[in-house]
Amino acid sequence: MLRWFEENGKNSDVVISGRVRLARNINGFHFSLKLTNEDAEIMDAEILTKLKGLKAFEQYHIFQFKDLDDCQKTAMKERHVISDFLLKRDTAAGLVSEDENISIMLNEEDHIRIQAFVSGMDIDKAYELANDIDDTIGGVLDYCYDEKYGYLTTCPSNVGTGMRASYMLHLPALTGSGRIAGLAAEVGRFGLVLKSLGIDQNNYGDIYQITNQYTLGKSEKEILDNLTNITEQIVEQERTLRKQYISRKRLSAQDTVYRAYGVLRYARKVSLGDGMLLLSQFRLGLSEKLVKPSSDIDVSIYQLMIGIQPANLQMMSANEMTEEEIDIARSQFIRDNIPLIQ
Amino acid sequence: MLCENCNVNEATVHFTEIRNGVQTEHHLCSECAAKLEVPGYMENYGNEFPFVRLLTGLLAAGGMAAVQRDTAMQHICCPGCGMSFEEFTRIGKFGCAECYDVFGPLIDDNMKCIHGSNVHRGKIYKEDSSGKDSENNQKQSESGELSFEQQLGKLQMNLREAVELENFEEAAHFRDEIKALKEGNNKDA
Ligand SMILES: [Zn+2]
Ligand SMILES: [Zn+2]
């Protein structure tokens, strides 16, 4: 079974994945702000007991922070199984589907955060998955729900549907032509937020996330359709810019991709920043057929982008690695996994 | 939404200011809110911001004397989780479901500002039971009684009117009625 980041879905030249996240709280416990660690532990245990027995979760792995070390938790965050917020919690637990496409986080900013990932541009499928889980959980637990405000959340910005839907986008051409800021302002008018996945807004392999800003007053379908419509336009813009650049400067474009491949294929030390940049250039080259892979097997480059994150590399080693050792391990990982070209 | 003062940071502090009868919405980041000494955000808030005073008065109205109102800030809290109003305006987040009953009606305009709407139109939880509700409600409407939604809407309007007129005791009374109505409705469901 492939994980969402191991395959390429619809419009995969630009759209890496779609994700739907639902925020839910249950009656009987204060929200996270006012929940003590002790009560959080009781809550997590109660929820786990109720969910564990259900058929829907038979194949799920259960995790509890008290059984995990920092590296394991960080690696889960790098694979998007858990959120940045959850990572910083003292007490947390959850359930993860075997392929890691669906995860249920407990004691996040809200008691329950359900998230579903799909590869490519198929947010409806992601919603379907999350919604089914929501029905199952809502059937055995008592959600905080209000006729007027809908699903009640810790933060007023999540209230109503409690839903955030997002696409992860690869936008090297829009980035290279300096159009991201303008684009971000444009999508803002449609109630969407576009942001770099990099820390402190640093470039992160030209990977961006576009998410709905409003959660109250619109149906889930309206929110999802709006997101998909605007994302389709971004996909078109990115494609047009890529075509323009390649038709004007084909040799330069090809040169960049071959250089990236050369370093990825032969370097003995690769920093995270370099790795992300080079993989982004190589991904663009494959998408636009500037280079030809030796095999027909469709390899997801985003999978490599996740694999080269520090905690995931650390997980594969028996000993604690220094930064330099991680750079060496990163180059090895890339050599082992990068698709060869003709 | 970006902070209206610096236009750089995300706005996390949302509040309504009423000055000389004119109501305006403000959206600031936490830094600017602290810098501009937004009341309720800072410990030593001034009296020239009626919105915060109104809330203070409303929440303190449960039997407290008028004199005590201005210093009552630290005593006001959500009966469910103990969230104080000062804390609520500083953090901008709810501490429990009951907080929505306490602070919700007072930030209705802010909700509109954040989302462009203040009423949920998405998935309905436990559709079966709420389906029965709306049948009941319809029957009640036919017999001349108000439906739950209508009653709730009316009470919330009364509450906000009372707040605007600084009728704190009346407002507290409406707040309790809203709570009772909602509890009654939940038991029916
Ligand atoms: Zn600011
Ligand atoms: Zn509360």
Side-chain angles (χ1 to χ4, degrees), chain B residues 38-52:
Chain B
V38 170
Y41 197 79
M42 296 294 289
E43 294 278 336
N44 47 347
Y45 58 97
N47 280 339
E48 68 278 20
F49 290 88
F51 179 65
V52 168

Side-chain angles (χ1 to χ4, degrees), chain A residues 87-122:
Chain A
L87 182 65
K88 294 188 193 113
R89 304 288 276 172
D90 296 326
T91 304
L95 296 101
V96 188
S97 69
E98 249 184 322
D99 56 17
E100 295 194 340
N101 290 2
I102 299 174
S103 64
I104 298 144
M105 290 170 256
L106 305 180
N107 199 32
E108 224 256 16
E109 187 184 53
D110 296 294
H111 295 155
I112 301 173
R113 288 277 176 98
I114 302 163
Q115 79 167 11
F117 269 102
V118 294
S119 49
M121 192 157 173
D122 194 357

Side-chain angles (χ1 to χ4, degrees), chain B residues 78 80-83 95-99:
Chain B
C78 161
C81 67
M83 166 84 78
C96 72
E98 217 171 308
C99 281

Side-chain angles (χ1 to χ4, degrees), chain A residues 148-168:
Chain A
K148 180 178 160 72
Y149 286 130
Y151 293 94
L152 301 182
T153 53
T154 296
C155 189
S157 65
N158 289 322
V159 78
T161 59
M163 182 180 80
R164 296 252 178 238
S166 61
Y167 280 121
M168 206 188 294

